[in-house]
Amino acid sequence: MEPEGRRGLGSAPGLALTTPESEQKRRTEAKAGAAGPSAVRARRFLLCLYLVGFLDLFGVSMVVPLLSLHIKSLGASPTVAGIVGSSYGVLQLFSSTLVGCWSDVAGRRASLLVCILLSALGYLLLGAATNVFLFVLARVPAGLVWLLPWSEAKLGSAGNGLQWGKTDVLSGKSDYDMREAATTHGARTRDKTAWPPWVEVASALRDMKSLLFSEMWDIFLVRLLMGVAVMLYYSNFVLALEERFGVRPKVTGYLISYSSALGATAGFALGPVLRLYKHNSHTLLLHSSVLTCTLLLLYSTAPTVGAVILSSTLLSFSTAIGRTCITDLQLTVGGAQASGTLIGMGQSVTAVGRIIAPLLSGVAQEVSPCGPPSLGVVLALVAIFIMSLNKPRSIGDMSDKLKSE
């Protein structure tokens, strides 16, 4: 009679001798089989999220360039249109913290759905607006919620994914582990949102004040000036081309799409350009700002549509490089330890620019269709002057900081 182990191995086909290696292999295969459907569901969900985000931003891109024409057709003056645009920026500036706190409590999925519905309501009212009052009313929902939920959604999907109902397919966690992690995450969220919203707003304002009056004041001021200068260029682009050259909005839309595609392509050229400048962000920012200022001047004095296309083509590259350089300069001078605060501060400065630019554009457009970009040239010159004066100090600060790191 054969031993038990030998008989199990030879006489009973399909039954293998159990060893620690085979048991570990069986468990690994079982986990992989269980994680397979979860991984597919997670990928499908992310694809759905990206598709919804694309559709939302696609709708925004169709509406925003034509807002100046729409409000003008309702009988509003350029100054009134500028005030309306500034109020939209004010809503974005002060609503972001409140909506962010609410999304921490209600969850990313619920906040995203509500924000999309409010945006859709705003666009519906915008299409039905027959006077300036209805136009302003239609802009309120989008001003309160636009863009923030997509930032929250990215954090939710890329960071923890718990509030979206996903499973951690990469780490192979069990359902019990995920429920326990979700409970812990909920407790942390409750602790994080224990402070009232106005307290968080006051704290954010204190952080902004300390950064604005620090040694980085010139970087934030340059960001504000260059941001407003570029926003002035885009603020009346459709209306100015129609008044100056009789270009139809359809053709202007083609030109805007062309410029946006070039701006996306500029990201691929940023690496070689930085290597050419030996990763000196300050010098590259200075040169890109000079190029932006020159192109704004060319656009302001363009005698033909061809000159407008040339300036728009090169502006797509110079502005894309400038945005990256100013962010890199902030992080280099400020240090990696406060990167989140610095990025948030940069976004706040940009939000302030969105408040200022429409108002300045409306007033300048009362003088001439070329008024807004001409004012942008002046602001860009001021930014270039500030960068030139503070160049030795900024480079010295960067060198000392890199040595200390």
Side-chain angles (χ1 to χ4, degrees):
M1 187 172 181
E2 294 180 300
E4 186 71 24
R6 186 183 297 272
R7 185 174 67 247
L9 193 64
S11 303
L15 294 178
L17 181 64
T18 301
T19 63
E21 292 79 5
S22 62
E23 180 66 20
Q24 180 65 28
K25 182 179 179 181
R26 185 186 63 79
R27 291 179 180 179
T28 303
E29 291 176 350
K31 286 184 178 180
S38 300
V40 173
R41 287 194 297 270
R43 284 195 294 267
R44 288 178 179 175
F45 177 80
L46 285 177
L47 289 176
C48 178
L49 184 65
Y50 293 148
L51 177 61
V52 173
F54 170 78
L55 292 176
D56 184 41
L57 296 177
F58 183 76
V60 171
S61 301
M62 289 193 301
V63 172
V64 171
L66 300 176
L67 288 178
S68 58
L69 288 177
H70 189 183
I71 195 170
K72 180 187 176 183
S73 66
L74 298 176
S77 65
T79 302
V80 173
I83 294 174
V84 173
S86 297
S87 62
Y88 181 75
V90 172
L91 287 175
Q92 286 186 338
L93 180 63
F94 290 101
S95 67
S96 59
T97 301
L98 299 178
V99 177
C101 294
W102 172 67
S103 68
D104 286 337
V105 177
R108 308 292 187 232
R109 183 191 295 270
S111 63
L112 181 60
L113 290 175
V114 171
C115 290
I116 291 176
L117 288 175
L118 287 176
S119 297
L121 175 63
Y123 295 136
L124 179 64
L125 293 175
L126 189 64
T130 56
N131 53 59
V132 177
F133 174 76
L134 290 178
F135 183 93
V136 175
L137 184 64
R139 298 294 286 156
V140 172
L144 289 173
V145 301
W146 184 76
L147 190 60
L148 178 71
W150 292 115
S151 301
E152 296 288 340
K154 290 175 184 178
L155 290 175
S157 60
N160 49 61
L162 299 176
Q163 293 184 343
W164 293 94
K166 297 192 318 182
T167 56
D168 192 350
V169 297
L170 295 179
S171 58
K173 291 182 181 179
S174 64
D175 293 338
Y176 174 79
D177 294 334
M178 293 301 295
R179 286 196 297 270
E180 185 178 5
T183 303
T184 305
H185 176 77
R188 291 177 180 176
T189 301
R190 286 192 294 272
D191 294 339
K192 180 181 178 182
T193 56
W195 295 102
W198 54 85
V199 175
E200 294 203 9
V201 172
S203 176
L205 291 176
R206 284 195 298 269
D207 293 339
M208 291 172 60
K209 181 181 177 181
S210 62
L211 279 173
L212 284 175
F213 291 96
S214 67
E215 62 179 7
M216 297 178 61
W217 67 269
D218 54 333
I219 299 177
F220 291 116
L221 183 56
V222 168
R223 180 174 188 134
L224 177 63
L225 292 173
M226 293 302 302
V228 173
V230 176
M231 291 177 196
L232 288 172
Y233 161 74
Y234 286 109
S235 62
N236 73 329
F237 187 75
V238 178
L239 187 60
L241 287 185
E242 184 184 46
E243 293 184 359
R244 293 172 62 185
F245 306 106
V247 178
R248 298 175 59 187
K250 179 180 179 180
V251 178
T252 307
Y254 291 150
L255 183 57
I256 292 174
S257 299
Y258 164 74
S259 300
S260 300
L262 289 178
T265 307
F268 297 100
L270 185 60
V273 172
L274 277 172
R275 288 193 293 270
L276 180 64
Y277 277 80
K278 298 180 180 179
H279 296 276
N280 190 333
S281 298
H282 187 279
T283 302
L284 181 55
L285 176 62
L286 179 61
H287 291 174
S288 66
S289 300
V290 171
L291 179 59
T292 299
C293 180
T294 305
L295 294 172
L296 289 176
L297 181 61
L298 174 63
Y299 167 75
S300 303
T301 59
T304 62
V305 178
V308 172
I309 295 176
L310 175 62
S311 61
S312 299
T313 300
L314 297 178
L315 268 171
S316 301
F317 287 92
S318 66
T319 54
I321 291 175
R323 285 194 302 267
T324 305
C325 287
I326 194 68
T327 302
D328 183 66
L329 197 60
Q330 284 178 206
L331 298 178
T332 302
V333 177
Q337 292 79 8
S339 59
T341 303
L342 292 171
I343 293 175
M345 184 61 196
Q347 296 297 326
S348 299
V349 170
T350 304
V352 172
R354 293 193 186 101
I355 298 173
I356 298 174
L359 185 58
L360 293 179
S361 176
V363 175
Q365 197 169 334
E366 295 279 5
V367 180
S368 168
C370 300
S374 301
L375 181 58
V377 172
V378 176
L379 296 179
L381 285 174
V382 175
I384 293 169
F385 179 72
I386 292 174
M387 279 188 285
S388 300
L389 286 181
N390 292 277
K391 181 177 180 180
R393 183 184 64 80
S394 298
I395 293 179
D397 292 343
M398 285 189 288
S399 299
D400 295 340
K401 194 168 292 294
L402 289 175
K403 289 178 182 179
S404 62
E405 293 177 356

